[in-house]
Amino acid sequence: MDRQLVGVLAVLVAVCAVAAVQAQPPSPKLPPNYHMINPGHMGGKRDQQLSCDDTQGKKKGCMAKCDKRCPNQCIVMCPSCKTFCMCDFYPGVSCGDPRFTGGDGNNFYFHGKKDHDFCIVSDADLHINAHFIGKRNPTMSRDFTWIQALGIRFADHRLYIGALKTAKWNSDDDRLELAFDGAPVDVPAELGARWESAAVPGLTVTRTAATNAVRVQLAGVLDIMANVVPITEQDSRIHNYGVTEEDSLAHLDLGFKFYDLSDDVHGVLGQTYRSDYVNNLSVSASMPVMGGAPSYVVSDIFSTDCAVARFGRRAGISMVTGRAN
């Protein structure tokens, strides 16, 4: 399998957001037994009834419950009702207290630092920074951190994807903020609604749910799934995250798919796609952690001044050269 094909979740979300969807963004045909559920939309319940088609006619339906790592959204495989988080499906996913799956297939954490920005992918024609929010636990030596926003640079353009600070979480309220070259990107709050850039052919934003979930595609370059999720009171109580009534710590769960990274790519996640990448993390540890944060820190969400920056090393290259496969 091509190491840059980061998996299938982005496509699954696009075609299976709800089993009864009428209009969906175009995507390749996939097995019919995958569905996306979003617990919490109906009365805040974590268990959501999902009717699964059983080709053998032995089951009429089942009760699916998302894993505690992804309580607000998960993939369900019918008819077994086995559930998966986004970060179980393919390399490039950030899930929770930022957990990544590298291009080499190994999971790792990168905690960064709250209220700081870090370059997670830096290549000659593409640069992606992440802004971290967090809470300090006085019993620990580090912050609890989550990715609140992405700043994406390509050619002379800037794309922003962020979660708005939210006090009391309501999944029916859209807390996703999008901007392209400084102008807001307005996408109607409807499943399948689509925005296309007039300035950049091949740049689209498609809603994969009516609120808080989008698929961002730049043809031939990247495919990003972004979902705004909160830290729930239950999770906060279990892990001592310190959620308050003033801040639900809304953040992004993210999935990445890249089509044309060079072998010089770097960044927290990007380096794992290099052919010469050597994983020196303790993969047998329960929580392998990537250190070296100073090498990845940038001065703001769109800056390309991290120590490992590669952006702009090749000049005169068109960013959108073809359609994604």
Side-chain angles (χ1 to χ4, degrees), residues 248-282:
S248 62
L249 296 174
H251 60 280
L252 297 175
D253 271 355
L254 296 158
F256 301 93
K257 186 174 184 178
F258 303 109
Y259 296 100
D260 194 28
L261 294 177
S262 77
D263 206 38
D264 190 45
V265 65
H266 218 300
V268 174
L269 176 62
Q271 64 184 306
T272 66
Y273 290 90
R274 299 167 62 120
S275 62
D276 62 353
Y277 174 69
V278 177
N279 188 342
N280 293 316
L281 304 179
S282 177

PDB file of all heavy atoms in Angstrom, residues 248-282:
ATOM      1  N   SER A 248     -15.922  24.568  27.410  1.00  0.00           N
ATOM      2  CA  SER A 248     -16.039  23.123  27.196  1.00  0.00           C
ATOM      3  C   SER A 248     -14.820  22.561  26.485  1.00  0.00           C
ATOM      4  O   SER A 248     -14.787  21.385  26.128  1.00  0.00           O
ATOM      5  CB  SER A 248     -17.294  22.805  26.374  1.00  0.00           C
ATOM      6  OG  SER A 248     -17.212  23.397  25.087  1.00  0.00           O
ATOM      7  N   LEU A 249     -13.797  23.419  26.249  1.00  0.00           N
ATOM      8  CA  LEU A 249     -12.563  23.012  25.580  1.00  0.00           C
ATOM      9  C   LEU A 249     -12.840  22.394  24.207  1.00  0.00           C
ATOM     10  O   LEU A 249     -12.294  21.347  23.833  1.00  0.00           O
ATOM     11  CB  LEU A 249     -11.764  22.038  26.449  1.00  0.00           C
ATOM     12  CG  LEU A 249     -11.254  22.618  27.775  1.00  0.00           C
ATOM     13  CD1 LEU A 249     -10.612  21.532  28.625  1.00  0.00           C
ATOM     14  CD2 LEU A 249     -10.251  23.740  27.521  1.00  0.00           C
ATOM     15  N   ALA A 250     -13.713  23.057  23.450  1.00  0.00           N
ATOM     16  CA  ALA A 250     -14.010  22.595  22.090  1.00  0.00           C
ATOM     17  C   ALA A 250     -12.723  22.569  21.273  1.00  0.00           C
ATOM     18  O   ALA A 250     -11.922  23.496  21.299  1.00  0.00           O
ATOM     19  CB  ALA A 250     -15.037  23.527  21.438  1.00  0.00           C
ATOM     20  N   HIS A 251     -12.528  21.478  20.540  1.00  0.00           N
ATOM     21  CA  HIS A 251     -11.301  21.290  19.785  1.00  0.00           C
ATOM     22  C   HIS A 251     -11.609  20.492  18.523  1.00  0.00           C
ATOM     23  O   HIS A 251     -12.760  20.116  18.272  1.00  0.00           O
ATOM     24  CB  HIS A 251     -10.246  20.583  20.639  1.00  0.00           C
ATOM     25  CG  HIS A 251     -10.667  19.219  21.113  1.00  0.00           C
ATOM     26  ND1 HIS A 251     -11.510  19.040  22.196  1.00  0.00           N
ATOM     27  CD2 HIS A 251     -10.393  17.972  20.645  1.00  0.00           C
ATOM     28  CE1 HIS A 251     -11.735  17.746  22.372  1.00  0.00           C
ATOM     29  NE2 HIS A 251     -11.070  17.083  21.439  1.00  0.00           N
ATOM     30  N   LEU A 252     -10.581  20.201  17.747  1.00  0.00           N
ATOM     31  CA  LEU A 252     -10.754  19.490  16.485  1.00  0.00           C
ATOM     32  C   LEU A 252     -10.277  18.049  16.589  1.00  0.00           C
ATOM     33  O   LEU A 252      -9.174  17.787  17.069  1.00  0.00           O
ATOM     34  CB  LEU A 252      -9.966  20.177  15.368  1.00  0.00           C
ATOM     35  CG  LEU A 252     -10.358  21.612  14.999  1.00  0.00           C
ATOM     36  CD1 LEU A 252      -9.386  22.155  13.955  1.00  0.00           C
ATOM     37  CD2 LEU A 252     -11.792  21.678  14.477  1.00  0.00           C
ATOM     38  N   ASP A 253     -11.108  17.127  16.131  1.00  0.00           N
ATOM     39  CA  ASP A 253     -10.640  15.797  15.776  1.00  0.00           C
ATOM     40  C   ASP A 253     -10.380  15.838  14.282  1.00  0.00           C
ATOM     41  O   ASP A 253     -11.228  16.288  13.501  1.00  0.00           O
ATOM     42  CB  ASP A 253     -11.698  14.731  16.098  1.00  0.00           C
ATOM     43  CG  ASP A 253     -11.558  14.198  17.520  1.00  0.00           C
ATOM     44  OD1 ASP A 253     -10.594  14.579  18.196  1.00  0.00           O
ATOM     45  OD2 ASP A 253     -12.420  13.407  17.938  1.00  0.00           O
ATOM     46  N   LEU A 254      -9.225  15.350  13.854  1.00  0.00           N
ATOM     47  CA  LEU A 254      -8.769  15.582  12.490  1.00  0.00           C
ATOM     48  C   LEU A 254      -8.323  14.303  11.803  1.00  0.00           C
ATOM     49  O   LEU A 254      -7.761  13.413  12.432  1.00  0.00           O
ATOM     50  CB  LEU A 254      -7.592  16.564  12.481  1.00  0.00           C
ATOM     51  CG  LEU A 254      -7.901  17.972  12.978  1.00  0.00           C
ATOM     52  CD1 LEU A 254      -6.620  18.670  13.424  1.00  0.00           C
ATOM     53  CD2 LEU A 254      -8.585  18.776  11.881  1.00  0.00           C
ATOM     54  N   GLY A 255      -8.579  14.248  10.515  1.00  0.00           N
ATOM     55  CA  GLY A 255      -8.044  13.189   9.676  1.00  0.00           C
ATOM     56  C   GLY A 255      -7.370  13.806   8.468  1.00  0.00           C
ATOM     57  O   GLY A 255      -7.905  14.755   7.885  1.00  0.00           O
ATOM     58  N   PHE A 256      -6.203  13.311   8.105  1.00  0.00           N
ATOM     59  CA  PHE A 256      -5.440  13.862   6.981  1.00  0.00           C
ATOM     60  C   PHE A 256      -5.178  12.782   5.926  1.00  0.00           C
ATOM     61  O   PHE A 256      -4.904  11.638   6.258  1.00  0.00           O
ATOM     62  CB  PHE A 256      -4.074  14.394   7.448  1.00  0.00           C
ATOM     63  CG  PHE A 256      -4.132  15.460   8.488  1.00  0.00           C
ATOM     64  CD1 PHE A 256      -4.066  15.122   9.832  1.00  0.00           C
ATOM     65  CD2 PHE A 256      -4.238  16.784   8.141  1.00  0.00           C
ATOM     66  CE1 PHE A 256      -4.103  16.104  10.809  1.00  0.00           C
ATOM     67  CE2 PHE A 256      -4.264  17.779   9.103  1.00  0.00           C
ATOM     68  CZ  PHE A 256      -4.201  17.431  10.446  1.00  0.00           C
ATOM     69  N   LYS A 257      -5.251  13.190   4.680  1.00  0.00           N
ATOM     70  CA  LYS A 257      -4.813  12.344   3.572  1.00  0.00           C
ATOM     71  C   LYS A 257      -4.006  13.228   2.634  1.00  0.00           C
ATOM     72  O   LYS A 257      -4.470  14.300   2.232  1.00  0.00           O
ATOM     73  CB  LYS A 257      -6.016  11.743   2.846  1.00  0.00           C
ATOM     74  CG  LYS A 257      -5.654  10.737   1.760  1.00  0.00           C
ATOM     75  CD  LYS A 257      -6.926  10.103   1.209  1.00  0.00           C
ATOM     76  CE  LYS A 257      -6.596   9.020   0.182  1.00  0.00           C
ATOM     77  NZ  LYS A 257      -7.821   8.365  -0.334  1.00  0.00           N
ATOM     78  N   PHE A 258      -2.789  12.797   2.314  1.00  0.00           N
ATOM     79  CA  PHE A 258      -1.906  13.589   1.467  1.00  0.00           C
ATOM     80  C   PHE A 258      -1.617  12.844   0.166  1.00  0.00           C
ATOM     81  O   PHE A 258      -1.480  11.629   0.154  1.00  0.00           O
ATOM     82  CB  PHE A 258      -0.589  13.877   2.202  1.00  0.00           C
ATOM     83  CG  PHE A 258      -0.773  14.577   3.517  1.00  0.00           C
ATOM     84  CD1 PHE A 258      -0.548  13.917   4.709  1.00  0.00           C
ATOM     85  CD2 PHE A 258      -1.185  15.897   3.560  1.00  0.00           C
ATOM     86  CE1 PHE A 258      -0.721  14.564   5.935  1.00  0.00           C
ATOM     87  CE2 PHE A 258      -1.363  16.549   4.770  1.00  0.00           C
ATOM     88  CZ  PHE A 258      -1.129  15.882   5.958  1.00  0.00           C
ATOM     89  N   TYR A 259      -1.516  13.618  -0.925  1.00  0.00           N
ATOM     90  CA  TYR A 259      -1.345  13.009  -2.232  1.00  0.00           C
ATOM     91  C   TYR A 259       0.032  13.222  -2.848  1.00  0.00           C
ATOM     92  O   TYR A 259       0.408  12.487  -3.750  1.00  0.00           O
ATOM     93  CB  TYR A 259      -2.400  13.547  -3.204  1.00  0.00           C
ATOM     94  CG  TYR A 259      -3.809  13.174  -2.816  1.00  0.00           C
ATOM     95  CD1 TYR A 259      -4.626  14.096  -2.167  1.00  0.00           C
ATOM     96  CD2 TYR A 259      -4.302  11.899  -3.069  1.00  0.00           C
ATOM     97  CE1 TYR A 259      -5.921  13.750  -1.804  1.00  0.00           C
ATOM     98  CE2 TYR A 259      -5.587  11.550  -2.703  1.00  0.00           C
ATOM     99  CZ  TYR A 259      -6.404  12.478  -2.068  1.00  0.00           C
ATOM    100  OH  TYR A 259      -7.672  12.136  -1.699  1.00  0.00           O
ATOM    101  N   ASP A 260       0.781  14.213  -2.423  1.00  0.00           N
ATOM    102  CA  ASP A 260       2.006  14.530  -3.154  1.00  0.00           C
ATOM    103  C   ASP A 260       3.089  15.086  -2.241  1.00  0.00           C
ATOM    104  O   ASP A 260       3.752  16.066  -2.570  1.00  0.00           O
ATOM    105  CB  ASP A 260       1.696  15.526  -4.281  1.00  0.00           C
ATOM    106  CG  ASP A 260       2.834  15.636  -5.289  1.00  0.00           C
ATOM    107  OD1 ASP A 260       3.570  14.646  -5.454  1.00  0.00           O
ATOM    108  OD2 ASP A 260       2.991  16.707  -5.904  1.00  0.00           O
ATOM    109  N   LEU A 261       3.296  14.471  -1.094  1.00  0.00           N
ATOM    110  CA  LEU A 261       4.371  14.913  -0.208  1.00  0.00           C
ATOM    111  C   LEU A 261       5.711  14.504  -0.791  1.00  0.00           C
ATOM    112  O   LEU A 261       5.865  13.427  -1.362  1.00  0.00           O
ATOM    113  CB  LEU A 261       4.203  14.297   1.179  1.00  0.00           C
ATOM    114  CG  LEU A 261       2.977  14.726   1.988  1.00  0.00           C
ATOM    115  CD1 LEU A 261       2.932  13.966   3.307  1.00  0.00           C
ATOM    116  CD2 LEU A 261       2.959  16.224   2.227  1.00  0.00           C
ATOM    117  N   SER A 262       6.698  15.377  -0.619  1.00  0.00           N
ATOM    118  CA  SER A 262       8.048  15.037  -1.071  1.00  0.00           C
ATOM    119  C   SER A 262       8.756  14.216   0.002  1.00  0.00           C
ATOM    120  O   SER A 262       8.275  14.088   1.132  1.00  0.00           O
ATOM    121  CB  SER A 262       8.846  16.313  -1.366  1.00  0.00           C
ATOM    122  OG  SER A 262       9.289  16.908  -0.140  1.00  0.00           O
ATOM    123  N   ASP A 263       9.900  13.700  -0.324  1.00  0.00           N
ATOM    124  CA  ASP A 263      10.656  12.906   0.638  1.00  0.00           C
ATOM    125  C   ASP A 263      11.460  13.790   1.583  1.00  0.00           C
ATOM    126  O   ASP A 263      12.190  13.277   2.440  1.00  0.00           O
ATOM    127  CB  ASP A 263      11.580  11.934  -0.094  1.00  0.00           C
ATOM    128  CG  ASP A 263      11.895  10.702   0.742  1.00  0.00           C
ATOM    129  OD1 ASP A 263      10.981  10.223   1.450  1.00  0.00           O
ATOM    130  OD2 ASP A 263      13.039  10.227   0.698  1.00  0.00           O
ATOM    131  N   ASP A 264      11.300  15.104   1.444  1.00  0.00           N
ATOM    132  CA  ASP A 264      11.965  16.051   2.335  1.00  0.00           C
ATOM    133  C   ASP A 264      11.004  16.614   3.369  1.00  0.00           C
ATOM    134  O   ASP A 264      11.360  17.469   4.172  1.00  0.00           O
ATOM    135  CB  ASP A 264      12.578  17.199   1.513  1.00  0.00           C
ATOM    136  CG  ASP A 264      13.498  18.098   2.346  1.00  0.00           C
ATOM    137  OD1 ASP A 264      14.321  17.559   3.114  1.00  0.00           O
ATOM    138  OD2 ASP A 264      13.364  19.341   2.242  1.00  0.00           O
ATOM    139  N   VAL A 265       9.759  16.136   3.360  1.00  0.00           N
ATOM    140  CA  VAL A 265       8.728  16.668   4.253  1.00  0.00           C
ATOM    141  C   VAL A 265       9.147  16.530   5.714  1.00  0.00           C
ATOM    142  O   VAL A 265       9.864  15.602   6.099  1.00  0.00           O
ATOM    143  CB  VAL A 265       7.386  15.945   3.984  1.00  0.00           C
ATOM    144  CG1 VAL A 265       7.480  14.465   4.349  1.00  0.00           C
ATOM    145  CG2 VAL A 265       6.240  16.621   4.732  1.00  0.00           C
ATOM    146  N   HIS A 266       8.716  17.487   6.539  1.00  0.00           N
ATOM    147  CA  HIS A 266       9.047  17.438   7.964  1.00  0.00           C
ATOM    148  C   HIS A 266       7.843  17.915   8.762  1.00  0.00           C
ATOM    149  O   HIS A 266       6.748  18.099   8.221  1.00  0.00           O
ATOM    150  CB  HIS A 266      10.283  18.284   8.271  1.00  0.00           C
ATOM    151  CG  HIS A 266      11.190  17.670   9.292  1.00  0.00           C
ATOM    152  ND1 HIS A 266      10.771  17.385  10.580  1.00  0.00           N
ATOM    153  CD2 HIS A 266      12.493  17.300   9.231  1.00  0.00           C
ATOM    154  CE1 HIS A 266      11.769  16.859  11.256  1.00  0.00           C
ATOM    155  NE2 HIS A 266      12.834  16.784  10.454  1.00  0.00           N
ATOM    156  N   GLY A 267       8.058  18.143  10.046  1.00  0.00           N
ATOM    157  CA  GLY A 267       6.981  18.498  10.961  1.00  0.00           C
ATOM    158  C   GLY A 267       6.639  17.325  11.856  1.00  0.00           C
ATOM    159  O   GLY A 267       7.072  16.187  11.629  1.00  0.00           O
ATOM    160  N   VAL A 268       5.841  17.582  12.877  1.00  0.00           N
ATOM    161  CA  VAL A 268       5.480  16.559  13.856  1.00  0.00           C
ATOM    162  C   VAL A 268       4.966  15.304  13.164  1.00  0.00           C
ATOM    163  O   VAL A 268       5.430  14.181  13.423  1.00  0.00           O
ATOM    164  CB  VAL A 268       4.421  17.106  14.836  1.00  0.00           C
ATOM    165  CG1 VAL A 268       3.937  15.989  15.764  1.00  0.00           C
ATOM    166  CG2 VAL A 268       4.979  18.266  15.654  1.00  0.00           C
ATOM    167  N   LEU A 269       4.011  15.475  12.281  1.00  0.00           N
ATOM    168  CA  LEU A 269       3.436  14.361  11.543  1.00  0.00           C
ATOM    169  C   LEU A 269       4.142  14.122  10.217  1.00  0.00           C
ATOM    170  O   LEU A 269       4.384  12.973   9.823  1.00  0.00           O
ATOM    171  CB  LEU A 269       1.945  14.622  11.296  1.00  0.00           C
ATOM    172  CG  LEU A 269       1.184  13.609  10.446  1.00  0.00           C
ATOM    173  CD1 LEU A 269       1.179  12.233  11.115  1.00  0.00           C
ATOM    174  CD2 LEU A 269      -0.248  14.086  10.200  1.00  0.00           C
ATOM    175  N   GLY A 270       4.484  15.199   9.530  1.00  0.00           N
ATOM    176  CA  GLY A 270       5.036  15.085   8.192  1.00  0.00           C
ATOM    177  C   GLY A 270       6.268  14.217   8.093  1.00  0.00           C
ATOM    178  O   GLY A 270       6.440  13.446   7.139  1.00  0.00           O
ATOM    179  N   GLN A 271       7.158  14.299   9.084  1.00  0.00           N
ATOM    180  CA  GLN A 271       8.413  13.544   9.017  1.00  0.00           C
ATOM    181  C   GLN A 271       8.200  12.041   8.933  1.00  0.00           C
ATOM    182  O   GLN A 271       9.037  11.310   8.413  1.00  0.00           O
ATOM    183  CB  GLN A 271       9.269  13.874  10.231  1.00  0.00           C
ATOM    184  CG  GLN A 271       8.653  13.442  11.554  1.00  0.00           C
ATOM    185  CD  GLN A 271       9.474  13.879  12.752  1.00  0.00           C
ATOM    186  OE1 GLN A 271      10.664  13.603  12.835  1.00  0.00           O
ATOM    187  NE2 GLN A 271       8.848  14.587  13.671  1.00  0.00           N
ATOM    188  N   THR A 272       7.046  11.574   9.448  1.00  0.00           N
ATOM    189  CA  THR A 272       6.802  10.133   9.467  1.00  0.00           C
ATOM    190  C   THR A 272       6.494   9.579   8.079  1.00  0.00           C
ATOM    191  O   THR A 272       6.397   8.355   7.914  1.00  0.00           O
ATOM    192  CB  THR A 272       5.646   9.780  10.421  1.00  0.00           C
ATOM    193  OG1 THR A 272       4.414  10.325   9.929  1.00  0.00           O
ATOM    194  CG2 THR A 272       5.923  10.325  11.818  1.00  0.00           C
ATOM    195  N   TYR A 273       6.359  10.460   7.079  1.00  0.00           N
ATOM    196  CA  TYR A 273       6.115  10.027   5.702  1.00  0.00           C
ATOM    197  C   TYR A 273       7.407   9.942   4.887  1.00  0.00           C
ATOM    198  O   TYR A 273       7.362   9.543   3.714  1.00  0.00           O
ATOM    199  CB  TYR A 273       5.133  10.984   5.016  1.00  0.00           C
ATOM    200  CG  TYR A 273       3.739  10.862   5.572  1.00  0.00           C
ATOM    201  CD1 TYR A 273       3.333  11.653   6.645  1.00  0.00           C
ATOM    202  CD2 TYR A 273       2.843   9.939   5.050  1.00  0.00           C
ATOM    203  CE1 TYR A 273       2.072  11.529   7.174  1.00  0.00           C
ATOM    204  CE2 TYR A 273       1.575   9.805   5.579  1.00  0.00           C
ATOM    205  CZ  TYR A 273       1.194  10.601   6.647  1.00  0.00           C
ATOM    206  OH  TYR A 273      -0.063  10.464   7.185  1.00  0.00           O
ATOM    207  N   ARG A 274       8.529  10.292   5.461  1.00  0.00           N
ATOM    208  CA  ARG A 274       9.807  10.233   4.748  1.00  0.00           C
ATOM    209  C   ARG A 274      10.279   8.786   4.645  1.00  0.00           C
ATOM    210  O   ARG A 274      10.100   7.992   5.583  1.00  0.00           O
ATOM    211  CB  ARG A 274      10.860  11.065   5.485  1.00  0.00           C
ATOM    212  CG  ARG A 274      10.535  12.525   5.608  1.00  0.00           C
ATOM    213  CD  ARG A 274      11.450  13.212   6.606  1.00  0.00           C
ATOM    214  NE  ARG A 274      12.851  13.139   6.188  1.00  0.00           N
ATOM    215  CZ  ARG A 274      13.606  14.211   5.950  1.00  0.00           C
ATOM    216  NH1 ARG A 274      13.076  15.431   6.088  1.00  0.00           N
ATOM    217  NH2 ARG A 274      14.851  14.085   5.593  1.00  0.00           N
ATOM    218  N   SER A 275      10.907   8.476   3.524  1.00  0.00           N
ATOM    219  CA  SER A 275      11.408   7.110   3.354  1.00  0.00           C
ATOM    220  C   SER A 275      12.548   6.805   4.307  1.00  0.00           C
ATOM    221  O   SER A 275      12.792   5.638   4.647  1.00  0.00           O
ATOM    222  CB  SER A 275      11.851   6.891   1.910  1.00  0.00           C
ATOM    223  OG  SER A 275      12.922   7.777   1.571  1.00  0.00           O
ATOM    224  N   ASP A 276      13.259   7.851   4.766  1.00  0.00           N
ATOM    225  CA  ASP A 276      14.374   7.624   5.684  1.00  0.00           C
ATOM    226  C   ASP A 276      13.994   7.847   7.145  1.00  0.00           C
ATOM    227  O   ASP A 276      14.872   7.897   8.020  1.00  0.00           O
ATOM    228  CB  ASP A 276      15.556   8.528   5.318  1.00  0.00           C
ATOM    229  CG  ASP A 276      15.217  10.022   5.441  1.00  0.00           C
ATOM    230  OD1 ASP A 276      14.030  10.361   5.686  1.00  0.00           O
ATOM    231  OD2 ASP A 276      16.145  10.854   5.294  1.00  0.00           O
ATOM    232  N   TYR A 277      12.689   7.953   7.426  1.00  0.00           N
ATOM    233  CA  TYR A 277      12.262   8.201   8.806  1.00  0.00           C
ATOM    234  C   TYR A 277      12.538   6.972   9.668  1.00  0.00           C
ATOM    235  O   TYR A 277      12.200   5.838   9.307  1.00  0.00           O
ATOM    236  CB  TYR A 277      10.775   8.532   8.863  1.00  0.00           C
ATOM    237  CG  TYR A 277      10.233   8.664  10.277  1.00  0.00           C
ATOM    238  CD1 TYR A 277      10.610   9.725  11.086  1.00  0.00           C
ATOM    239  CD2 TYR A 277       9.357   7.710  10.795  1.00  0.00           C
ATOM    240  CE1 TYR A 277      10.125   9.849  12.377  1.00  0.00           C
ATOM    241  CE2 TYR A 277       8.864   7.821  12.079  1.00  0.00           C
ATOM    242  CZ  TYR A 277       9.255   8.899  12.866  1.00  0.00           C
ATOM    243  OH  TYR A 277       8.774   9.015  14.149  1.00  0.00           O
ATOM    244  N   VAL A 278      13.165   7.205  10.800  1.00  0.00           N
ATOM    245  CA  VAL A 278      13.436   6.144  11.766  1.00  0.00           C
ATOM    246  C   VAL A 278      12.663   6.464  13.041  1.00  0.00           C
ATOM    247  O   VAL A 278      12.862   7.519  13.653  1.00  0.00           O
ATOM    248  CB  VAL A 278      14.937   6.029  12.077  1.00  0.00           C
ATOM    249  CG1 VAL A 278      15.173   4.967  13.152  1.00  0.00           C
ATOM    250  CG2 VAL A 278      15.718   5.701  10.815  1.00  0.00           C
ATOM    251  N   ASN A 279      11.788   5.589  13.425  1.00  0.00           N
ATOM    252  CA  ASN A 279      10.975   5.794  14.616  1.00  0.00           C
ATOM    253  C   ASN A 279      11.791   5.414  15.846  1.00  0.00           C
ATOM    254  O   ASN A 279      12.044   4.230  16.098  1.00  0.00           O
ATOM    255  CB  ASN A 279       9.708   4.937  14.533  1.00  0.00           C
ATOM    256  CG  ASN A 279       8.726   5.256  15.641  1.00  0.00           C
ATOM    257  OD1 ASN A 279       9.081   5.858  16.652  1.00  0.00           O
ATOM    258  ND2 ASN A 279       7.483   4.851  15.463  1.00  0.00           N
ATOM    259  N   ASN A 280      12.195   6.416  16.603  1.00  0.00           N
ATOM    260  CA  ASN A 280      12.968   6.187  17.821  1.00  0.00           C
ATOM    261  C   ASN A 280      12.111   6.213  19.070  1.00  0.00           C
ATOM    262  O   ASN A 280      12.628   6.175  20.186  1.00  0.00           O
ATOM    263  CB  ASN A 280      14.077   7.242  17.944  1.00  0.00           C
ATOM    264  CG  ASN A 280      15.135   7.088  16.857  1.00  0.00           C
ATOM    265  OD1 ASN A 280      15.567   5.974  16.569  1.00  0.00           O
ATOM    266  ND2 ASN A 280      15.541   8.199  16.264  1.00  0.00           N
ATOM    267  N   LEU A 281      10.770   6.288  18.877  1.00  0.00           N
ATOM    268  CA  LEU A 281       9.874   6.292  20.024  1.00  0.00           C
ATOM    269  C   LEU A 281       9.743   4.880  20.573  1.00  0.00           C
ATOM    270  O   LEU A 281       9.945   3.889  19.862  1.00  0.00           O
ATOM    271  CB  LEU A 281       8.494   6.817  19.625  1.00  0.00           C
ATOM    272  CG  LEU A 281       8.450   8.201  18.969  1.00  0.00           C
ATOM    273  CD1 LEU A 281       7.022   8.565  18.599  1.00  0.00           C
ATOM    274  CD2 LEU A 281       9.046   9.250  19.904  1.00  0.00           C
ATOM    275  N   SER A 282       9.381   4.781  21.816  1.00  0.00           N
ATOM    276  CA  SER A 282       9.148   3.486  22.432  1.00  0.00           C
ATOM    277  C   SER A 282       7.757   3.016  22.058  1.00  0.00           C
ATOM    278  O   SER A 282       6.778   3.304  22.747  1.00  0.00           O
ATOM    279  CB  SER A 282       9.291   3.583  23.959  1.00  0.00           C
ATOM    280  OG  SER A 282       9.003   2.334  24.569  1.00  0.00           O
TER     281      SER A 282
END
